[in-house]
Amino acid sequence: MTREDVDILISGGGVAGLAAAAVFGQAGFSVLCVDPAPPVTEREAQGADLRTTAFLQPAQALLERAGLWARLGPHAMPLQVMRIVDAGGAEPEPRIVKDFDAADISDRPFGWNLPNWLLRREMVAHLESLPGVRFRPGTGTTTLLTREREALVGLSDGTGVRARLVIAADGRNSPIREAAGIDVKTTRYGQKALAFAVTHPIPHDNVSTEIHRSGGPFTLVPLPDFDGRPSSAIVWMEEGPEAMRLAGLPVPEFEAEMNARSCHLFGPLTLASRRTVWPIISQVAERMWSERVALVAEAAHVVPPIGAQGLNMSLGDMRVLLELAEAAPERLGERAMLETYHRCRHMEVCARVTGIDVLNRASMLRARPLRDARAQALDAIYSLAPVRRTLMQMGLGARG
């Protein structure tokens, strides 16, 4: 068996795992990142992830520190305003529209939006420029044995790896988390999300728009122009059977339904990609560490796609891990470091998961009186400027 020694083994080559490899590689640690599936880095390729990620200000700062932003910035679409629209009346029409403007709390946008397939393309290219980082797609983890001083990981290509720290960025069904014996609490909503891109005649003006009626939010997030027309990424959350019905409709019928659900705010929407369907759950690991193992991203926490919190929480994990690693490199992966990581992150993660759970359940409401109460709550929150600013700051990552 071939044996390799590294500071950090990262299990998972999705956006979170690739970001972790860049963050720790740029900091001077030797990193091996593995994933059983090669990344899909072209928009039209089979299996391409057509969702987008909005990097909020703290996440963008970490990517800049990792040397990634120089590659990502030219492709990113700024998000200046988060618009919440309540359309829960008798007809699918806007009855309350509230704009949360980043200018109220910052001289910069809330965040910057990029397609996930493009993130993978640019991140993989960046890793090739980091001498201490190796990315091995098509190779997964098979075994995990931890000791007080090291972790021994078996890979599917027969290689054995000795690492001081194993970072589990291998998704909501994390094999590393399972091997480490860490339990999770999972909440299922009976929802699925349709993800796709559209073009529209009315410019988005860097406004991310979240429309609430029932079943879940219908969210349009700005993208760069496509085929010479303004473009947005859409995440449309619905109860599972309804989402599958929509996914199977012929394009003309689907466009008619999505235009009605969009309240025609951007004019006629035209489908500009294929449709993909994703299950919606909340999930939290009972702890974010085990001997020589740190859980990050969806291995540690999963939330519905509301408020751009998912991957930004993941980069929050990496920011804390990096600060601890750089403060005492000789103690990388030791129990005290990982216990501190858990204390710094787990309570905040649980609070954010709970908050997003509440927002998602509110967005699913079908009964008219409850939808009316939701609209009144939005109106009341927005009218209190200190509360509005505090909520925006918390959304960016400030602790409540």
Side-chain angles (χ1 to χ4, degrees):
M1 174 188 291
T2 304
R3 175 79 68 184
E4 299 181 26
D5 287 3
V6 295
D7 292 326
I8 300 171
L9 172 79
I10 299 171
S11 176
V15 172
L18 295 173
V23 164
F24 287 95
Q26 186 76 16
F29 294 95
S30 60
V31 177
L32 173 62
C33 179
V34 299
D35 192 291
V40 180
T41 57
E42 297 295 334
R43 184 180 189 272
E44 303 303 330
Q46 185 66 32
D49 186 349
L50 299 180
R51 296 172 297 176
T52 64
T53 294
F55 292 101
L56 303 179
Q57 289 179 14
Q60 185 271 341
L62 183 66
L63 296 177
E64 194 161 36
R65 183 177 175 184
L68 272 166
W69 197 248
R71 298 190 69 98
L72 298 177
H75 304 285
M77 181 59 62
L79 305 178
Q80 182 64 34
V81 173
M82 302 292 187
R83 178 170 293 157
I84 307 297
V85 178
D86 187 276
E91 300 297 327
E93 300 172 350
R95 55 178 179 172
I96 294 179
V97 179
K98 299 298 182 183
D99 284 359
F100 294 80
D101 193 331
D104 289 346
I105 59 170
S106 174
D107 59 0
R108 308 174 71 209
F110 282 116
W112 296 262
N113 195 51
L114 293 108
N116 285 3
W117 63 266
L118 185 145
L119 285 171
R120 287 179 168 86
R121 185 189 74 192
E122 297 302 317
M123 287 177 166
V124 168
H126 179 66
L127 295 187
E128 294 174 356
S129 71
L130 297 175
V133 177
R134 286 169 291 153
F135 177 44
R136 197 173 297 169
T139 301
T141 59
T142 55
T143 60
L144 171 70
L145 173 64
T146 62
R147 301 170 178 169
E148 184 178 347
R149 289 185 165 273
E150 63 190 9
L152 302 175
V153 182
L155 303 182
S156 59
D157 64 1
T159 303
V161 178
R162 182 164 53 195
R164 297 164 64 198
L165 173 65
V166 175
I167 295 179
D170 45 2
R172 60 187 65 183
N173 300 314
S174 168
I176 292 292
R177 185 188 65 220
E178 184 175 343
I182 301 174
D183 290 334
V184 295
K185 177 183 177 182
T186 303
T187 301
R188 303 188 186 280
Y189 301 98
Q191 284 173 301
K192 295 185 186 296
L194 289 135
F196 52 93
V198 298
T199 59
H200 40 81
I202 299 174
H204 49 60
D205 293 329
N206 301 117
V207 177
S208 178
T209 302
E210 197 170 277
I211 305 168
H212 293 263
R213 183 163 173 79
S214 64
F218 182 99
T219 305
L220 301 99
V221 188
L223 287 173
D225 288 358
F226 183 73
D227 285 345
R229 303 185 76 209
S231 181
S232 294
I234 292 182
V235 176
W236 184 357
M237 292 165 59
E238 280 287 358
E239 294 177 359
E242 174 64 2
M244 296 308 295
R245 181 189 74 82
L246 291 166
L249 288 177
V251 170
E253 287 89 336
F254 180 77
E255 289 183 334
E257 298 226 17
M258 76 172 172
N259 275 295
R261 186 64 177 81
S262 74
C263 301
H264 305 280
L265 293 179
F266 293 89
L269 305 179
T270 301
L271 189 64
S273 74
R274 72 178 186 283
R275 291 159 274 180
T276 58
V277 182
W278 303 84
I280 301 299
I281 65 169
S282 290
Q283 185 168 280
V284 183
E286 67 174 8
R287 65 183 192 277
M288 295 177 67
W289 76 283
S290 184
E291 187 176 61
R292 292 285 163 181
V293 173
L295 306 187
V296 303
E298 289 202 341
H301 43 75
V302 183
V303 292
I306 294 175
Q309 293 298 301
L311 193 64
N312 288 279
M313 290 168 61
S314 304
L315 291 176
D317 302 339
M318 294 166 207
R319 184 168 56 249
V320 171
L321 267 183
L322 178 65
E323 290 169 356
L324 294 170
E326 290 189 314
E330 72 282 357
R331 300 184 63 186
L332 178 71
E334 291 185 3
R335 181 186 182 100
M337 171 194 167
L338 295 175
E339 287 180 332
T340 302
Y341 166 64
H342 172 84
R343 285 196 303 272
C344 289
R345 289 298 295 155
H346 197 249
M347 186 176 295
E348 180 181 344
V349 162
C350 289
R352 287 186 181 273
V353 171
T354 299
I356 295 167
D357 173 86
V358 170
L359 292 174
N360 187 40
R361 292 182 188 280
S363 76
M364 296 173 67
L365 296 173
R366 289 199 172 276
R368 277 286 305 282
L370 295 177
R371 287 175 8 203
D372 292 345
R374 179 185 66 199
Q376 292 166 4
L378 170 62
D379 201 28
I381 288 170
Y382 188 86
S383 66
L384 300 170
V387 174
R388 183 172 73 247
R389 287 193 292 268
T390 297
L391 288 174
M392 287 192 284
Q393 289 162 347
M394 291 176 65
L396 288 180
R399 296 192 179 198

